[in-house]
Every structure is written in C-alpha cells, then in structure tokens.
Amino acid sequence: TSKVSETMIRTTNLSPSEMIQVEGILEENNMGIEHLSSGRYMTAKKAFRSAILKLREFYQQQQRNKDYAIFYSLIIEPKSIPRSPKMKAQSKTHYIYRNALLASIDKNPPREQDRTNHFCTDLTAILIFNLCLVYHCSTEQYERKLEKTKVLRMYKKAWDSLKKDSLHHDTIALGILNNMGALFHDLAK
C-alpha cells in the first residue's frame, strides 16, 4: 500500500491499545458524572482528575509519534445534574448550566474532509468543564464564596483549551460562558 493510504487507515482507526486508553478516559469522565449526579463531589473530582491525567499521558504518547494525526470523533451528550436536596429552597444563585457532558467515541465519524484535529483539546475542555461543574455545585451547596474565584479560573482554563473550529465548540462553550457569567454575577454582590 502507498504511504497515503497507510496514513488514512492510521488516522481513522484506533489501535487496540489506543482504544483501551481512550475508553478508560471516557469511562472516568462518565463515572465522574454519575458521582456528581449523586452529590458525591469528592469522588467525582477524583474521577475527572484521573481522566485528565490519563488524557495528558495519551496526548504525550500521540505527540511522540510524529507521523500520526489524531482524528477521532466524539459524541457529546448533555446530562442534567439535579440540584442537591441539601440546598436551601431560596437559593440566591441564578441559573447555572447544570448539564455535565457525557462523551463517547463516534463509531461513524464524519467524512475525512469534515474532521478537525481537536480530539484531545475537545476532550480536555469537556473534562475541565465537568470538573468545574463539580466545584461550582459544591460552592453553591456549601455557600463557599471564596472558592468561586477558583472555579471561575478553572472555567477560564476550559475556555482556553477549546478551539474555535471544534465540532463541539458551541455545545461546550454554552456551559462554560453561562456559568462564568453566573459566577461573575455572584462575585459582584
């Protein structure tokens, strides 16, 4: 086979070890969301941090392979996070975008010319956003105003990691910008 066709095959298929790595990252993300939904904030934080570390390791491995472009596609599904029953009924916090982002590999990726090379950056933005949501829900539940500045900086990191030509830019940006606005409003009080 020619060099071009080998590259095409390589960029459209995950090797078995890469698939295991990616599935592990996505599983950690999705388990973190389950913990967040159940109000288990510490366990959710650990899951998202673990996923971020695994993604960093995966990305570094991909960078060492110079002839390889990362063209995996994600499917993103928002999952609504319920308000904690421990919260006061009359919360002063206005609307927080409480949809964590579930992610999975797209088994039917877009055509080659429609793909972007933002798998790692998209997934980084998703993981950081979901981790931010844990901290945001925690600060809201326990009324920790001092931590809101930290959460705001974390949302900024998620925003900075997002690429404008990402397939999922609007989906991810919606939550980041809404929740940053809610925090700016709360901190201005």
Side-chain angles (χ1 to χ4, degrees), residues 1-9:
T1 58
S2 72
K3 179 76 171 164
V4 173
S5 63
E6 286 175 17
T7 303
M8 295 291 277
I9 291 167

Side-chain angles (χ1 to χ4, degrees), residues 21-171:
Q21 281 182 292
V22 170
E23 285 176 348
I25 295 165
L26 298 175
E27 185 177 315
E28 289 276 354
N29 177 64
N30 297 345
M31 287 304 298
I33 292 170
E34 290 305 314
H35 294 304
L36 174 57
S37 294
S38 301
R40 295 187 306 264
Y41 298 137
M42 291 303 289
T43 310
K45 288 176 190 177
K46 287 178 185 177
F48 293 128
R49 286 182 185 140
S50 174
I52 290 168
L53 291 174
K54 287 178 181 179
L55 180 61
R56 182 183 326 172
E57 181 181 311
F58 175 78
Y59 181 73
Q60 288 170 347
Q61 289 172 354
Q62 298 301 311
Q63 289 296 314
R64 286 191 287 271
N65 188 349
K66 301 279 189 232
D67 297 331
Y68 184 62
I70 305 168
F71 280 116
Y72 315 131
S73 292
L74 289 172
I75 296 174
I76 298 177
E77 178 184 344
K79 175 163 182 179
S80 181
I81 305 299
R83 289 180 74 89
S84 170
K86 297 177 187 177
M87 286 197 58
K88 295 179 181 178
Q90 293 280 336
S91 175
K92 295 177 183 173
T93 305
H94 51 280
Y95 182 75
I96 295 174
Y97 185 80
R98 293 180 178 279
N99 289 310
L101 300 173
L102 291 162
S104 60
I105 292 289
D106 188 351
K107 303 293 184 191
N108 299 306
R111 298 172 311 177
E112 191 70 31
Q113 65 267 26
D114 294 338
R115 294 182 186 189
T116 61
N117 193 10
H118 298 304
F119 172 80
C120 287
T121 54
D122 283 358
L123 193 50
T124 298
I126 290 167
L127 293 171
I128 296 172
F129 171 77
N130 287 341
L131 181 60
C132 291
L133 195 55
V134 175
Y135 279 97
H136 201 158
C137 290
S138 176
T139 61
E140 182 184 57
Q141 179 175 338
Y142 300 112
E143 297 182 15
R144 296 178 180 155
K145 188 166 186 162
L146 293 175
E147 288 186 20
K148 290 184 178 186
T149 304
K150 175 184 176 180
V151 178
L152 189 57
R153 285 192 308 265
M154 290 175 65
Y155 278 126
K156 175 79 167 84
K157 287 181 181 181
W159 176 254
D160 290 344
S161 69
L162 191 59
K163 301 295 182 203
K164 289 184 178 165
D165 59 346
S166 161
L167 290 174
H168 304 289
H169 180 271
D170 294 345
T171 304

